[in-house]
Structure formats: structure tokens, C-alpha cells
Amino acid sequence: MSTLESGAATKQVTVSVNGTERSAEVEPRLLLVHFLRGEGLKGVHVGCDTTSCGACTVLLDGTPIKSCTFFAVQADGREITTVEGLAPAGGLHPIQEGFHEEHGLQCGFCTPGMMLTSKALLEENPDPSDEEIRWALSGQICRCTGYMNIVKAVQYAAKKMGEEASA
């Protein structure tokens, strides 16, 4: 018998995910990663369940968090961005374009977390050094590719975003 069937208390949670309000009755112990995947957002991945790999990274009010150890009830009333919300309609975000152009991905499992962490970095620091990019991404693990192309992808995005801001 599940906790819900046994009459355990649930809580109404309402969050804005990628600009769309979503509400659900959830168990207080439901992790945000499972809430989001249950809402059809499959870009957030379950990797290690210990915050070590970063595959579950989402932006909470613009700040990267590891959703595998964050309860959905903690996100109530807040703004969540997943990789599905990164791209503008009909195009790619410069970060996505950078990962494509600079070959910053292979299997793609870690890529959503890398992209979202990069977005937060570039909003805070539009022209980061290689060292600053590596430090920002230090909570993300990629098992398929070297980090050199990921750093190049973030540099590409920074340059493109800078050009777009000047235009």
C-alpha cells in the first residue's frame, strides 16, 4: 500500500515551469526531479541521487539546484526552468547552439544540467574566463567527452549573447 493510499498528508504545490503554471497534490517527500519528470519534462535526468553528477540540475528562480535532493514542496510558488524552457520558439538558445557548434556533447545525459548551469553563469558574468567556466561547471560530471569542448561551447554562447546584446 502506498503512502497516499494509507491516508498520508499531501500538499498542493503550484510552480511556474518554463513560464507555465503547474499544480499538483504531492507527498511531502516527493523529489523535485520526480515531480518534473512526472509532468513530462524528460530533460531533467536522474543520475546519482546524491547531487554528485549534476544531471538533475534545473534553475530555481534563476539559480542552479540539484533537483534530486530538493523536495517539490520547497519549490511551491517559485519559478523553475528546465532545458525544455531554454530555447526560444522556433530556434536555439545561444548555449544550445554553442554545444552543437563546438561539439560539447556526446550522449546528452549531462547536457541539460551543463546548459542550465551555463545560463546562470552567463547571466551573472557575460564574459567568463576559462577558469570561471570550469569552476561554474565543477558540480557537473560528463562521462563521455572532455570538458574542453564544453568550455568552448560556453565561450561560443557568451560571444554570441554579447553580440546580440550589442545589436
Side-chain angles (χ1 to χ4, degrees):
M1 178 184 312
S2 78
T3 307
L4 283 175
E5 292 169 346
S6 67
T10 60
K11 179 167 176 17
Q12 179 74 25
V13 173
T14 301
V15 293
S16 175
V17 181
N18 303 325
T20 302
E21 191 172 284
R22 296 173 188 250
S23 294
E25 284 284 327
V26 301
E27 291 184 49
R29 66 183 180 173
L30 181 70
L31 294 172
L32 183 58
V33 67
H34 297 301
F35 173 79
L36 293 170
R37 289 185 63 81
E39 291 290 307
L41 297 157
K42 303 301 184 188
V44 59
H45 297 132
V46 179
C48 64
D49 286 327
T50 63
T51 73
S52 296
C53 75
C56 67
T57 301
V58 297
L59 299 180
L60 181 71
D61 297 330
T63 301
I65 64 154
K66 310 280 181 79
S67 64
C68 72
T69 57
F70 197 90
F71 294 113
V73 295
Q74 292 174 281
D76 189 33
R78 300 177 77 184
E79 174 68 37
I80 299 167
T81 305
T82 68
V83 73
E84 291 90 349
L86 195 55
L92 295 177
H93 188 281
I95 293 169
Q96 293 169 311
E97 188 178 317
F99 271 74
H100 177 263
E101 292 297 322
E102 297 296 336
H103 310 286
L105 61 119
Q106 285 187 10
C107 82
F109 195 78
C110 71
T111 306
M114 293 273 190
M115 288 182 175
L116 292 167
T117 300
S118 299
K119 181 180 190 304
L121 168 66
L122 294 177
E123 286 180 359
E124 184 178 308
N125 180 357
D127 189 24
S129 67
D130 286 4
E131 184 177 325
E132 290 168 322
I133 294 169
R134 289 178 186 280
W135 177 252
L137 295 175
S138 65
Q140 312 289 317
I141 295 175
C142 177
R143 293 181 176 100
C144 294
T145 188
Y147 292 89
M148 182 175 286
N149 288 345
I150 294 169
V151 172
K152 286 180 183 177
V154 178
Q155 291 169 333
Y156 177 103
K159 182 178 179 192
K160 180 151 188 180
M161 291 167 72
E163 291 168 356
E164 289 174 357
S166 317

